[in-house]
Amino acid sequence: MKVGILGSGDVAKALAVGFLKHGHNVVMGTRDPAKLADWLTQQRGARASSFAEAAKFGEVVVLAVKGTVALEALRAAGASNLAGKPVIDATNPIADAPPVNGVLKFFTNLDESLMERLQREFPDARFVKAFNSVGNPLMVNPQFKEGKPTMFICGNDEAAKQTVRRILDQFGWETADMGKAEAARAIEPLCMLWLIPGFLRNEWSHAFKLLRQE
Ligand SMILES: NC(=O)c1ccc[n+]([C@@H]2O[C@H](COP(=O)([O-])OP(=O)(O)OC[C@H]3O[C@@H](n4cnc5c(N)ncnc54)[C@H](OP(=O)(O)O)[C@@H]3O)[C@@H](O)[C@H]2O)c1
């Protein structure tokens, strides 16, 4: 697949490495492609360009920018370059404020997630929440003795979720589909929960798993 990744930070890089490992082609979108030049010398099959060029290139687009600027980055990518495509939304609506006893502050509330805001402004893009509730070093083929961890996803478009499910299969995750975009109200705060052991005890090597009784 051709994958356009909007972002140049740790998440964008970790997912790019994962897509390349599994044989996909990647264009990274950033305001400043030059800052990825060194990193790209180590990555065959990837290049850097603008947000718009990356989105245009992708059959699948990944949104991996700071939550406060997610709408801004999508506007720079251009609605027409996102229309009809699965957009994997890895962002979290983390406010510019310090955590309280290890608990982050969000700029959204429990009745409206960031992904719903993005979906409302870009109705033709097919947003799927994924990869937001685990640290970037564990995003691609993480190894746990208990088996595959669970990635909670949601989104309004079934075909887009099927595409993301196939990617998650390749990336070594079990997928738990939580339904439509509103489920992002519950999935985004999993990031808060995931980060608490990190902030309190410097523990960063866990992931969530959904257990089901036979
Ligand atoms: N870090 C993790 O392990 C982790 C795990 C799960 C989810 N997440 C979520 O994934 C997202 C990315 O996290 P990150 O840690 O990789 O990076 P980050 O530092 O949160 O974001 C970096 C990206 O934000 C973009 N950006 C900043 N200001 C901008 C603006 N005014 N307009 C457009 N773009 C702007 C930067 O674009 P330029 O390239 O143009 O500078 C850069 O690509 C966040 O929403 C985060 O909450 C992070």
Side-chain angles (χ1 to χ4, degrees):
M1 277 187 317
K2 289 153 80 173
V3 184
I5 300 184
L6 308 181
S8 62
D10 291 341
V11 173
K13 287 176 178 166
L15 291 176
V17 168
F19 282 110
L20 294 171
K21 169 182 166 181
H22 291 291
H24 306 288
N25 293 313
V26 171
V27 172
M28 313 282 283
T30 163
R31 292 166 300 173
D32 177 16
K35 75 171 156 197
L36 287 171
D38 277 355
W39 180 79
L40 283 167
T41 60
Q42 309 300 317
Q43 317 299 333
R44 273 185 54 190
R47 62 186 167 86
S49 189
S50 62
F51 284 123
E53 284 300 321
K56 191 172 172 183
F57 172 82
E59 297 160 296
V60 170
V61 177
V62 177
L63 179 64
V65 298
K66 198 165 175 267
T68 50
V69 299
L71 277 171
E72 217 175 305
L74 291 173
R75 287 178 196 133
S80 62
N81 293 325
L82 301 168
K85 298 178 181 178
V87 179
I88 301 176
D89 173 21
T91 65
N92 283 309
I94 298 171
D96 289 324
V100 177
N101 288 329
V103 182
L104 277 177
K105 286 193 185 298
F106 271 19
F107 60 78
T108 48
N109 63 54
L110 284 174
D111 296 322
E112 191 201 34
S113 61
L114 176 57
M115 194 179 82
E116 290 171 88
R117 288 188 194 176
L118 305 181
Q119 184 66 78
R120 200 169 48 247
E121 180 153 338
F122 295 89
D124 297 331
R126 300 173 180 185
F127 287 95
V128 180
K129 197 91 213 171
F131 292 110
N132 70 298
S133 57
V134 69
N136 68 85
L138 295 169
M139 287 180 175
V140 181
N141 303 107
Q143 299 297 316
F144 291 100
K145 65 178 187 314
E146 294 89 348
K148 287 185 184 184
T150 306
M151 188 68 76
F152 294 91
I153 71 165
C154 68
N156 291 340
D157 188 89
E158 295 306 317
K161 284 193 288 191
Q162 280 308 322
T163 300
V164 174
R165 188 183 282 271
R166 284 196 295 276
I167 292 165
L168 287 166
D169 287 347
Q170 284 191 323
F171 283 28
W173 289 82
E174 170 188 281
T175 299
D177 181 354
M178 295 289 112
K180 303 292 185 194
E182 290 77 9
R185 299 173 197 179
I187 297 175
E188 288 173 359
L190 290 178
C191 132
M192 279 186 193
L193 188 62
W194 189 86
L195 281 163
I196 291 172
F199 288 137
L200 295 185
R201 298 185 294 276
N202 202 26
E203 293 170 12
W204 309 97
S205 56
H206 47 279
F208 296 118
K209 185 162 181 72
L210 189 64
L211 302 176
R212 298 173 193 80
Q213 210 165 33
E214 289 300 312

